[in-house]
Amino acid sequence: MFLQRLVEYANRPDVRLSPIMYAAEPVRYWIDLDGEGAFRAIISAEGEDRRSTKRVDVPTLVRSSGIRPKLLADNAEYVLGIPRPEGKPDDVAKRHRAFVELTRRCAEKTAEPDLQAVLRFLERLTPDTFTLPDDFDPTAPVSFRVDGRRPADLLSVQGFWKVEASEGQLMECLVCGRERPAMETLQVMLKGIPGGQTSGLALISANAKAFESYGLEGSYIAPTCQECSDRFMKAANQLIAGESTHLYLGNTVYIFWTREDIPFSFGSMLSRPEPDQVRELLASVSKGGDARIDPIPFYATALTASGARAVVRDWIDTTVGQARKNLARFFALQDITGAWGEAGRPRGVYTLGKATVRSRSDDDPAPWVFRALMRCALAGGPLPASLLLKAVERCRVERGVNHERAALLKMTLVSRYSTGDKTGGRTMIELEADNRNPAYLCGRLFAELEAVQRAALGDVGAGIVDRYYGTASSAPATVFGRLVRGAQPHLGKLRRERPGAYHALDGRLQDILANLDAFPPTLTLKQQAFFALGYYHQRAADRHAARARSGKHDDLAGVTEDDLTGNSEEE
């Protein structure tokens, strides 16, 4: 199914791929000939190395051993008989003869004048018939031009090469279902997969007995014809290279495509979502979607490297409408107030995934984290409870809750427990003053006790959050009695020195404590997530209120932590 959908993409009228058995290669040198095959010059293509040389479509062939020339474009050993540094004279002569013989067969089969010119040049080739550039690299690709024309571009030449390179057993192609010569080795490699070989990865191969099936070797284990294999491999490479059709997440690359061209980029929405784009998507979905594009099939897959092979890790087959609906839900799930009470910005998959590892580190999350988020974003369904564990652990280790972790916690809770009495249908976007969940209340209380300490003592280095967050978020009854008692001297100091701050903080403490019958002995994983959200929501609400009192609505940097405790100007 995956390969068939890639062939469908390759056949879209707006998709341009190289001809069959051709590939875009960085031809470094052009041998310019006239119409009679007389040598004019060897022109070095623009650029100092292969990577900066312009790529053109030339015949291609995967070869690992033996002598197998490529038509009209190869290294200097094959084309000119000039050895590479490690080349053996006997092997070089054999390679050059094979190249000349292949060119002769093509010239006879196609009867093209330009091929005849190339053949005449090769037949009378001697070291005296051409002059090499001073910095000539015999390992770089060399091809031909005749009176400025590239013989490899001729349709007759492309047809010849397609037949020439199609040798294989006659088998039923698993993609098109027709009986055709199957490819023993796929002639196009997948490139751009993280951790993969620079030469590319095979999608179908068996190079050891353990991988063989029913005695079939190589790519015969999953037989595909030349045309289908060429199309689906090149389509995958184009999607990997496309700016809006791929997304790198750790060691995985995701590719997306639709059966028809659509004016919507899933890749950019998943990697760099902009608030305006997200609002537009949510509005469109709430109005019933877009009847023009919603029925169009949508596909996505995840690819990783494993040795010399590419591995398909996930596959999503749905419609544009359903994928857009799931994506809108994905952004609605993560909607949570910012750390200062402002509207939270939408986060891409990579940013959310990074919430499960150390802050400000280069560590990548476990691969399953990205797969879970991507599947939720495109295929819907709940996020796994293991994401709660990852995010809760990071909050406990780093003794605090940032916006990304709060969003991930909220997403997982609401996606898993959004009905019945598990969350009461709460959206958890901002502070919920009427939420009676004991764990949530404990989180709010912890935020206020932190504010009391800061208001009374200022920056004390290792405050109660640094010392007690882990215990408070998992076993509240163990520490909250001590913390509440320890806050009383701080409140007494504030009542004497800063009565405005005292009344603000004491009022919030009393409101929270009035709804807590007792401190829970222990908190489950889900309850620890509620604790973290209560702590985050309360701090964000306090900051928002402080910003409003200070009048600094547009300058978050102008509001200090001391502002969270009350309006000093009113004192």
Side-chain angles (χ1 to χ4, degrees), residues 69-272:
K70 301 177 185 179
L71 180 65
L72 294 173
D74 215 317
N75 62 54
E77 282 192 341
Y78 279 96
V79 178
L80 298 172
I82 298 175
R84 294 176 291 175
E86 70 280 9
K88 298 178 180 179
D90 289 345
D91 290 341
V92 173
K94 292 176 182 178
R95 290 188 177 108
H96 179 61
R97 284 197 298 270
F99 184 84
V100 175
E101 181 56 33
L102 176 61
T103 306
R104 180 177 290 110
R105 292 200 302 273
C106 183
E108 293 173 353
K109 185 70 175 180
T110 63
E112 290 284 357
D114 287 352
L115 263 295
Q116 298 291 342
V118 173
L119 181 60
R120 281 193 290 272
F121 167 78
L122 293 172
E123 288 177 335
R124 56 181 181 240
L125 180 66
T126 66
D128 297 331
T129 57
F130 62 89
T131 303
L132 293 175
D134 294 336
D135 59 348
F136 185 77
D137 179 5
T139 66
V142 182
S143 191
F144 293 91
R145 292 187 300 211
V146 178
D147 287 336
R149 300 181 297 273
R150 296 199 298 252
D153 292 345
L154 295 169
L155 293 179
S156 58
V157 173
Q158 295 172 8
F160 168 84
W161 184 239
K162 175 181 175 181
V163 174
E164 180 75 18
S166 65
E167 298 178 358
Q169 297 181 29
L170 199 63
M171 304 175 74
E172 182 179 326
C173 174
L174 62 80
V175 177
C176 65
R178 288 178 285 186
E179 193 170 273
R180 290 178 165 182
M183 302 300 291
E184 182 178 3
T185 302
L186 299 191
Q187 296 299 301
V188 181
M189 297 288 102
L190 286 182
K191 299 184 178 182
I193 297 179
Q197 299 175 350
T198 55
S199 58
L201 302 177
L203 188 59
I204 303 172
S205 70
N207 60 352
K209 289 290 184 182
F211 306 121
E212 295 175 5
S213 178
Y214 297 100
L216 298 174
E217 302 176 350
S219 297
Y220 290 149
I221 59 170
T224 56
C225 67
Q226 179 197 61
E227 183 171 348
C228 289
S229 65
D230 188 275
R231 298 291 87 182
F232 66 66
M233 293 295 281
K234 287 178 180 175
N237 277 329
Q238 186 175 99
L239 291 168
I240 292 172
E243 182 177 353
S244 61
T245 54
H246 81 273
L247 177 61
Y248 284 109
L249 296 172
N251 70 342
T252 305
V253 59
Y254 281 83
I255 54 176
F256 330 98
W257 70 99
T258 53
R259 190 172 293 177
E260 302 173 26
D261 187 30
I262 62 170
F264 185 84
S265 173
F266 283 92
S268 61
M269 290 290 285
L270 289 164
S271 60
R272 301 177 300 277

Side-chain angles (χ1 to χ4, degrees), residues 10 25 73 90 113 120 126 134 137 145 188 218-219 242 283 328 367 391 393 415 419 448 474 488 506 544 547 549 566:
E25 297 289 347
D90 289 345
R120 281 193 290 272
T126 66
D134 294 336
D137 179 5
R145 292 187 300 211
V188 181
S219 297
E393 284 179 342
S415 71
T419 59
E448 293 302 346
S474 56
Q488 300 313 305
D506 186 62
H544 181 73
R547 185 177 64 167
R549 287 194 300 271

Side-chain angles (χ1 to χ4, degrees), residues 192-518:
I193 297 179
Q197 299 175 350
T198 55
S199 58
L201 302 177
L203 188 59
I204 303 172
S205 70
N207 60 352
K209 289 290 184 182
F211 306 121
E212 295 175 5
S213 178
Y214 297 100
L216 298 174
E217 302 176 350
S219 297
Y220 290 149
I221 59 170
T224 56
C225 67
Q226 179 197 61
E227 183 171 348
C228 289
S229 65
D230 188 275
R231 298 291 87 182
F232 66 66
M233 293 295 281
K234 287 178 180 175
N237 277 329
Q238 186 175 99
L239 291 168
I240 292 172
E243 182 177 353
S244 61
T245 54
H246 81 273
L247 177 61
Y248 284 109
L249 296 172
N251 70 342
T252 305
V253 59
Y254 281 83
I255 54 176
F256 330 98
W257 70 99
T258 53
R259 190 172 293 177
E260 302 173 26
D261 187 30
I262 62 170
F264 185 84
S265 173
F266 283 92
S268 61
M269 290 290 285
L270 289 164
S271 60
R272 301 177 300 277
E274 295 294 334
D276 290 343
Q277 293 176 323
V278 172
R279 281 191 289 269
E280 184 179 343
L281 173 64
L282 293 170
S284 174
V285 170
S286 68
K287 293 177 182 177
D290 189 336
R292 298 170 302 167
I293 64 173
D294 282 354
I296 297 174
F298 168 85
Y299 313 106
T301 194
L303 299 169
T304 64
S306 177
R309 296 177 180 81
V311 181
V312 178
R313 297 293 184 183
D314 203 359
W315 168 245
I316 295 172
D317 184 343
T318 183
T319 64
V320 171
Q322 190 59 50
R324 277 164 46 89
K325 183 178 179 181
N326 293 331
L327 189 57
R329 172 180 175 266
F330 178 77
F331 287 119
L333 284 174
Q334 64 170 271
D335 186 16
I336 192 168
T337 184
W340 287 82
E342 77 281 10
R345 287 183 60 86
R347 303 293 179 173
V349 173
Y350 184 80
T351 303
L352 290 171
K354 286 285 285 184
T356 63
V357 296
R358 292 181 301 158
S359 299
R360 295 181 296 278
S361 75
D362 295 329
D363 299 339
D364 277 331
W368 65 264
V369 171
F370 288 137
R371 288 200 289 271
L373 289 167
M374 287 293 292
R375 181 150 283 275
C376 175
L378 297 175
L383 288 166
S386 48
L387 276 177
L388 280 185
L389 177 61
K390 284 287 187 180
V392 164
E393 284 179 342
R394 293 318 308 170
C395 292
R396 188 163 57 240
V397 170
E398 298 188 17
R399 299 179 294 278
V401 190
N402 61 23
H403 179 259
E404 289 75 22
R405 291 197 183 107
L408 189 59
L409 290 168
K410 185 247 184 181
M411 290 177 71
T412 309
L413 283 174
V414 177
S415 71
R416 294 187 63 81
Y417 314 112
S418 59
T419 59
D421 59 358
K422 294 180 179 178
T423 65
R426 299 184 184 279
T427 57
M428 305 294 291
I429 295 175
E430 56 187 1
L431 180 66
E432 297 176 348
D434 59 344
N435 191 330
R436 299 297 182 262
N437 183 306
Y440 186 79
L441 288 169
C442 285
R444 291 182 58 197
L445 179 62
F446 195 61
E448 293 302 346
L449 291 172
E450 177 191 19
V452 168
Q453 183 184 62
R454 184 183 300 109
L457 304 179
D459 186 4
V460 295
I464 65 168
V465 173
D466 295 309
R467 298 172 61 189
Y468 296 110
Y469 183 93
T471 305
S473 64
S474 56
T478 307
V479 297
F480 264 105
R482 189 190 330 162
L483 293 176
V484 172
R485 290 193 298 273
Q488 300 313 305
H490 301 327
L491 288 170
K493 178 181 179 181
L494 290 174
R495 182 168 51 188
R496 295 188 302 272
E497 300 176 1
R498 299 176 60 192
Y502 164 76
H503 288 297
L505 288 166
D506 186 62
R508 294 200 292 265
L509 286 171
Q510 296 306 319
D511 288 342
I512 296 170
L513 287 168
N515 293 305
L516 263 174
D517 296 331

